Structure formats: structure tokens, C-alpha cells
């Protein structure tokens, strides 16, 4: 079964609005990562948050982690058309560097 | 650094043929990952190496798939014989633990 799943599957917003995507997972993790994938391209790492951290920021990105609820959220503030992409969360499995990626959230930012 | 390099970028072949995908990781990274991405199954980890040694190949679909990493700067993923259901985008990624850096992918079409 999939470790992490993003919600919603798809999201359309207007430029300038904020976008929030959620990730839920099933088992304990050491850390969780968020990636972006533009159409036809490879994934790009955005943020890594460790299990003992609750919030991290990077530019317009804000990631939260609630280990008690086994969930994480990615907030993109003041969205731009260039933010249009699929966003994936990745959680480490029980060992090593075996990260499991969710099915992703497709974000469309309309100009 | 040029990032993770994959070749070829596109491959069209006929069922039964051997396919070899190549990857050059980022210099200094000691982890290398091979993923497959399809619409139906999303992003799947096939195998990953640490210091050129395969650590987890549980995601390799079947014996038709094999991967090697003869040195720190080169890895191959081979499919022999190829089948239409192998059609997908294959990504290579590397890391030094934590954030993974993805290549542009090889888009494989097996007719």
C-alpha cells in the first residue's frame, strides 16, 4: 500500500492566491520531502522536513508536519503561473533511502 | 555541475528487443536511484545503490529488468526482452542522503 497520498488530486487557483496541498501517510517516518514536477520534466526537490520538526519555510513555500496525525501540508503563497506543476510528497519507508512517492497533486495556476 | 544526466532521452523499440538506459549521477553523490513513472502506477522505485552496491531491488518488476553500477559515475538499467507494458518514463536520481536530484528521464515506448 502507498505510504503517502496527496490531497487534493487536482487544484485550480487564480494567480496571487495561496495553494495548499496535503499529504497523509500510514507509518512512522524519519523525514518527509516535497517535490515539484513540471510537465515532461524530472522531479525537483523543494523541502525536506524531519520528524522532529513542525514547520519549515523556503521562500514562498511553507511546509508543516503533524506526526500525531501522520500528515503534512505544503502551502504556496502568492502563487504564480510558473507554479503550475504536479507536487509530490515522499516518505521514507522503514529503512534506508527507500522513499515512497504519493500520486501527486496537479496544481494549475490561472493567470 | 551539470546535474544528473540520462541517455537516451527518448527510445522507441519493438517488443522483444533489448533496451539499455544510462545514467551519470552528480559527482560526489553516493546514492543512485532508478524510478519508473506511468499514469496508472505513478512513480515507482525500481532499485537503489549505495556506493555502487545494490541495496534494495524489491521494486524491479521481474527478471527481465537488471541494473548495474560499475563505478561511482555510471549506471545502467537494462530490459531484456522488452514488452509493451514497459512503456514509461524512467528516471535516474542521485543523492548524498536526503534530497534526491532527478535527471530529465528517458521516455521509453515499446511497440
Amino acid at each position: 500500500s502507498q505510504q503517502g497520498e496527496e490531497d487534493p488530486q487536482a487544484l485550480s487557483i487564480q494567480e496571487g492566491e495561496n495553494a495548499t496541498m496535503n499529504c497523509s501517510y500510514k507509518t512512522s517516518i524519519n523525514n518527509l520531502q516535497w517535490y515539484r514536477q513540471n510537465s515532461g520534466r524530472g522531479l525537483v526537490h523543494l523541502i525536506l522536513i524531519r520528524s522532529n520538526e513542525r514547520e519549515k519555510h523556503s521562500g514562498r513555500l511553507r511546509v508543516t508536519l503533524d506526526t500525531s496525525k501522520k500528515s503534512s501540508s505544503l502551502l504556496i503563497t502568492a502563487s504564480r503561473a510558473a507554479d503550475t506543476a504536479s507536487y509530490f510528497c515522499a516518505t521514507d519507508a522503514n529503512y534506508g533511502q527507500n522513499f515512497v512517492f504519493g500520486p501527486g497533486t496537479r496544481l494549475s495556476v490561472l493567470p | 555541475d551539470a546535474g544528473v544526466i540520462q541517455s537516451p532521452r527518448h527510445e522507441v523499440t519493438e517488443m522483444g528487443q533489448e533496451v539499455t538506459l544510462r545514467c551519470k549521477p552528480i559527482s560526489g553523490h553516493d546514492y543512485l536511484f532508478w524510478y519508473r513513472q506511468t499514469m496508472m502506477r505513478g512513480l515507482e522505485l525500481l532499485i537503489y545503490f549505495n556506493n555502487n552496491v545494490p541495496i534494495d531491488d524489491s521494486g524491479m518488476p521481474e527478471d527481465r529488468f537488471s541494473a548495474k553500477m560499475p563505478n561511482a559515475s555510471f549506471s545502467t538499467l537494462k530490459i531484456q526482452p522488452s514488452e509493451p507494458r514497459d512503456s514509461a518514463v524512467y528516471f535516474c536520481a542521485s543523492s548524498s542522503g536526503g534530497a534526491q536530484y532527478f535527471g530529465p528521464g528517458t521516455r521509453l515506448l515499446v511497440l
Side-chain angles (χ1 to χ4, degrees), chain B residues 17-87:
Chain B
Q17 297 296 307
E18 177 180 295
V19 175
T20 299
L21 311 181
R22 298 172 176 79
C23 175
K24 176 178 169 55
I26 292 173
S27 176
H29 282 183
D30 50 2
Y31 289 94
L32 183 139
F33 307 81
W34 282 102
Y35 291 91
R36 178 173 67 178
Q37 186 176 39
T38 62
M39 288 295 292
M40 290 298 294
R41 300 175 67 89
L43 193 66
E44 303 172 282
L45 175 66
L46 301 177
I47 184 172
Y48 81 89
F49 296 82
N50 180 216
N51 292 321
N52 313 337
V53 176
I55 301 300
D56 185 351
D57 65 354
S58 60
M60 296 286 264
E62 49 201 270
D63 292 345
R64 297 185 298 106
F65 285 68
S66 63
K68 293 182 179 180
M69 192 165 185
N71 57 62
S73 59
F74 184 66
S75 177
T76 60
L77 178 67
K78 187 175 293 186
I79 308 172
Q80 167 63 20
S82 58
E83 297 182 2
R85 59 192 169 119
D86 301 331
S87 297

Side-chain angles (χ1 to χ4, degrees), chain A residues 3-68:
Chain A
Q3 168 71 321
E5 291 210 13
E6 296 87 351
D7 169 63
Q9 291 187 350
L11 179 62
S12 288
I13 59 174
Q14 295 294 133
E15 206 165 22
E17 294 180 340
N18 295 341
T20 299
M21 289 156 272
N22 302 297
C23 171
S24 59
Y25 56 93
K26 296 182 174 62
T27 61
S28 297
I29 59 171
N30 295 312
N31 59 64
L32 182 147
Q33 304 182 43
W34 284 92
Y35 288 80
R36 182 188 74 231
Q37 184 179 32
N38 292 90
S39 180
R41 311 288 286 273
L43 280 72
V44 174
H45 181 261
L46 298 176
I47 288 184
L48 181 153
I49 186 165
R50 303 192 188 283
S51 60
N52 61 352
E53 297 175 312
R54 292 296 167 259
E55 188 172 310
K56 284 190 83 168
H57 297 256
S58 176
R60 295 183 296 112
L61 306 180
R62 172 177 166 250
V63 168
T64 61
L65 179 63
D66 187 335
T67 53
S68 66

